Amino acid sequence: MISHVSGKVLGTTEKHVTVSVSGIGLLLRTPRPAEFIKEKDCEVFVHFHFTQEQGPSLFGFASELEKVLFEKLISCSKIGPGIAIQVLAQIDAPSCIAMIQEGNIRGLSSFNGIGAKKAALIVSELQDKLGNLGSTVGGAGASTVRTSDVQQVSEALQSLGYTRQEISEALRQVSEQFDGTSVPFDQMLRMSLSVLSKNKQL
């Protein structure tokens, strides 16, 4: 069974990254293909998925934590890999784990692909099973940002006319700068606006 691969990025699409490994090009469905840069070496954590209807599929993740969370999500009834990968495309793994542990159904249901019923299902099935996942799986530095602050920032940005996709990407980029430090609401909002402004210029 494949657990991870190391190779060179051949290219990306809207949903996939192709990685060259020993002369073989592996097509991997991934939450954020833009994280992978063409011709750059990379390490990808892999989940092998098989169904009778669609056969084998490979899912790739930039961190082990993201992969493990994906596997936890698809262990929930009625949450398939398509929904799980869509969630991880909108929020970083530490923040998603925090939302589940806090029982933040409102926050989870705000993501595309997740309504209130699925959010409640995820919380009921995973809230007591994630433990200290964020600090024990190869991605220490889990965010300590309160999900209530994240939700307030998200709502403030929506009121300014930004789309959910733009907001999710900005919050993901901002959370990477926290490195485990708690950041107050006002500073998080300023940082998010700065990122959104830069993203608009790209």
Side-chain angles (χ1 to χ4, degrees):
M1 187 65 67
I2 302 173
S3 64
H4 73 280
V5 297
S6 297
K8 182 172 290 187
V9 177
L10 293 180
T12 60
T13 66
E14 184 180 351
K15 296 181 178 180
H16 297 85
V17 59
T18 302
V19 181
S20 176
V21 181
S22 301
I24 299 174
L26 296 179
L27 182 67
L28 303 157
R29 176 79 183 271
T30 187
R32 290 176 292 274
E35 289 184 342
F36 299 92
I37 302 173
K38 190 174 182 179
E39 300 300 326
K40 294 289 187 180
D41 292 333
C42 69
E43 181 178 29
V44 188
F45 294 88
V46 178
H47 172 84
F48 177 86
H49 192 77
F50 181 88
T51 63
Q52 292 289 344
E53 298 79 13
Q54 299 180 350
S57 300
L58 293 176
F59 293 84
F61 305 92
S63 71
E64 186 181 7
L65 177 62
E66 194 171 53
K67 171 190 171 182
V68 173
L69 177 57
F70 171 83
E71 292 171 340
K72 294 287 187 183
L73 287 171
I74 64 175
S75 72
C76 297
S77 54
K78 299 183 180 180
I79 304 296
I83 292 177
I85 208 84
Q86 192 174 3
V87 170
L88 292 174
Q90 300 173 76
I91 185 173
D92 63 279
S95 295
C96 185
I97 290 169
M99 277 191 173
I100 296 170
Q101 290 175 327
E102 293 177 8
N104 189 348
I105 294 174
R106 180 184 177 189
L108 289 169
S109 64
S110 69
F111 299 124
N112 293 332
I114 299 289
K117 289 184 178 180
K118 284 189 174 68
L121 180 70
I122 290 171
V123 169
S124 67
E125 295 196 21
L126 295 184
Q127 189 173 30
D128 298 326
K129 296 180 181 178
L130 297 182
N132 57 348
L133 180 65
S135 59
T136 57
V137 176
S143 173
T144 59
V145 179
R146 294 183 303 167
T147 55
S148 58
D149 285 344
V150 173
Q151 184 66 28
Q152 289 178 40
V153 170
S154 178
E155 291 173 354
L157 294 174
Q158 286 182 50
S159 70
L160 294 174
Y162 292 102
T163 66
R164 285 185 178 180
Q165 183 175 357
E166 290 174 325
I167 294 168
S168 296
E169 176 60 20
L171 288 173
R172 183 189 67 79
Q173 292 182 42
V174 169
S175 69
E176 292 176 352
Q177 302 176 43
F178 292 150
D179 195 24
T181 350
S182 180
V183 177
F185 166 81
D186 56 344
Q187 185 177 351
M188 195 193 314
L189 180 60
R190 286 197 302 271
M191 294 170 71
S192 298
L193 287 168
S194 176
V195 169
L196 285 163
S197 177
K198 291 177 182 177
N199 289 348
K200 286 281 189 182
Q201 297 171 11
L202 295 179

